[in-house]
Amino acid sequence: MRRRTVLSAAGAAALAVPVLGAAPAVAAPATVRRGCLDIRGVDISSLPKNEDHGAVYRTADGRREDPVRLLAQAGVTHARLKVWVNPADGYNNKAHILPLARRLKRAGVGIWIDFHYSDSWADPAHQTKPAAWADLDVAGLTRAVYDHTADVLGALKRQGTPAQLVQIGNELNGGLIWPEGNWEHFDTMTAFLKAGLSAARDTTPRVRTILHLANGGDNGLYRWWFDNMVAYGVDFDIIGLSYYPFWHGPIANAAANMADITARYGKPCVIAETAYPFTLESEDDVNDILNDPSQLTEGFPATPAGQAAWLRAVADLAAGVPDGQGLGYCYWEGLWTYRAGSGWDPTDSSSGNAWENLALFDFQDRALPGLRTLGRYRS
């Protein structure tokens, strides 16, 4: 999701069209350890750019440390890395992912790749076609999806750092690679998804594949979208959800949705994105996305303790999915602290960071209690 854009449930509802095909049969659930979560992840996509602009990371008592080591020491199991095709700033591409993957492998942290199939942010409001693909027809775009996916995942495997998890697309409420792959063209959308899924399995046979939507409390959206995936024969492993309480409704709605979709499709789920502020203050001159008490969830203040409490709540949400079908969760951009030049817009070096008060490090670069909560709670 592009974090400067607040997405409403109404946007998802506008996509509602008749479901294709009958409800799928329910498959036997996978067995996981009761009460424990196999995925306790952090998206660290902005780390290379942040470090290149001078970011440092410290232990809770102020000692400087490699941030990847801090994740591992906290008990984080996976790091999520987004992939753009040809970004203007040169980050979030294969050249930067490969060395970061080597750091993760050395630290014992698993690799979760998140393909956006765009040169910039892909989310329910933006699925812009890569510039290099602008003149391709549907067959050419399908091949480009396969080749791009295979290129990145193949390079990771060849250097000895294969991905354990891979998202084929990001927050796909309205499809991908617009306009050809938008929600009005499920045949083309699913052709693109099948190409990416095939490339993932061809290059990394043991990888677990994820299809990911936003609006994690909207059961109507998930039934509509995944019923269509089943009707078109799309074969994937895990349902991914974004669930932010300040955008996506009460936790009870997310719990009901996760219980329903895991039973309906016979697939486990993972909360692919969540976050919560540790303060409502801003370190830079960009107004942060979370900046007003009215945006907070009752019982969770914008404090370090409130952030850690939210992490326990979202871990409980994942662990509470019936039959052990909740695999875990991932905290979005937990290392995106403020550094001048490391802003949200890859085309504008002066763009700021509207997310630093939701990071897992404070304005003095010290690890917050939530980092250890994320790694150790339900481990």
Side-chain angles (χ1 to χ4, degrees), residues 47-48 51 66-68 98-108:
L47 178 60
E51 289 182 319
D66 177 353
V68 173
L98 291 176
L100 186 51
R102 289 193 290 269
R103 290 171 66 182
L104 292 166
K105 174 79 176 291
R106 287 194 296 269

Side-chain angles (χ1 to χ4, degrees), residues 46 50 121 332-338 342-344 353 355-356 359:
S46 293
N50 242 34
W121 303 97
W332 195 81
E333 284 286 14
L335 274 60
W336 196 10
T337 56
Y338 168 67
S342 184
W344 69 268
N353 182 348
W355 195 257
E356 79 273 11

Side-chain angles (χ1 to χ4, degrees), residues 1 3 5-9 215 244-249 289-290 355:
M1 179 179 290
R3 299 302 154 201
T5 303
V6 178
L7 302 170
S8 68
N215 303 82
Y244 298 91
F246 34 86
W247 289 326
H248 299 154
I289 288 171
L290 269 290
W355 195 257

Side-chain angles (χ1 to χ4, degrees), residues 66-279:
D66 177 353
V68 173
R69 284 179 53 84
L70 287 173
L71 296 182
Q73 291 165 1
V76 169
T77 62
H78 294 79
R80 182 175 180 250
L81 311 176
K82 69 173 173 276
V83 180
W84 292 340
V85 175
N86 189 26
D89 61 2
Y91 289 90
N92 300 301
N93 60 6
K94 184 175 72 171
H96 282 86
I97 286 168
L98 291 176
L100 186 51
R102 289 193 290 269
R103 290 171 66 182
L104 292 166
K105 174 79 176 291
R106 287 194 296 269
V109 178
I111 297 166
W112 174 345
I113 298 297
D114 174 18
F115 285 100
H116 283 224
Y117 302 110
S118 180
D119 293 334
S120 187
W121 303 97
D123 56 43
H126 312 86
Q127 295 282 340
T128 305
K129 189 186 307 179
W133 302 0
D135 296 329
L136 298 179
D137 60 12
V138 168
L141 289 169
T142 304
R143 186 69 202 183
V145 169
Y146 183 97
D147 290 346
H148 171 62
T149 307
D151 179 47
V152 174
L153 295 180
L156 285 166
K157 185 177 182 184
R158 286 190 296 274
Q159 75 168 12
T161 59
Q164 285 80 48
L165 300 165
V166 59
Q167 284 180 227
I168 305 302
N170 187 74
E171 293 191 326
L172 294 165
N173 299 32
L176 72 165
I177 311 175
W178 291 348
E180 290 86 352
N182 71 17
W183 66 275
E184 295 180 311
H185 306 288
F186 263 100
D187 53 347
T188 305
M189 181 203 304
T190 54
F192 295 160
L193 294 175
K194 288 177 182 179
L197 290 161
S198 294
R201 292 175 176 133
D202 288 347
T203 55
T204 318
R206 298 181 65 182
V207 75
R208 301 185 77 184
T209 57
I210 301 170
L211 296 183
H212 168 217
L213 305 185
N215 303 82
D218 187 345
N219 184 239
L221 165 68
Y222 279 72
R223 282 192 169 210
W224 162 69
W225 201 88
F226 281 100
D227 277 5
N228 276 286
M229 292 302 105
V230 171
Y232 278 97
V234 180
D235 181 20
F236 63 97
D237 299 317
I238 300 168
I239 298 169
L241 312 87
S242 291
Y243 177 59
Y244 298 91
F246 34 86
W247 289 326
H248 299 154
I251 200 166
N253 292 9
N257 184 39
M258 294 163 70
D260 179 69
I261 60 177
T262 53
R264 185 175 180 85
Y265 305 110
K267 307 279 187 183
C269 69
V270 63
I271 300 169
E273 296 186 19
T274 194
Y276 206 80
F278 67 88
T279 180

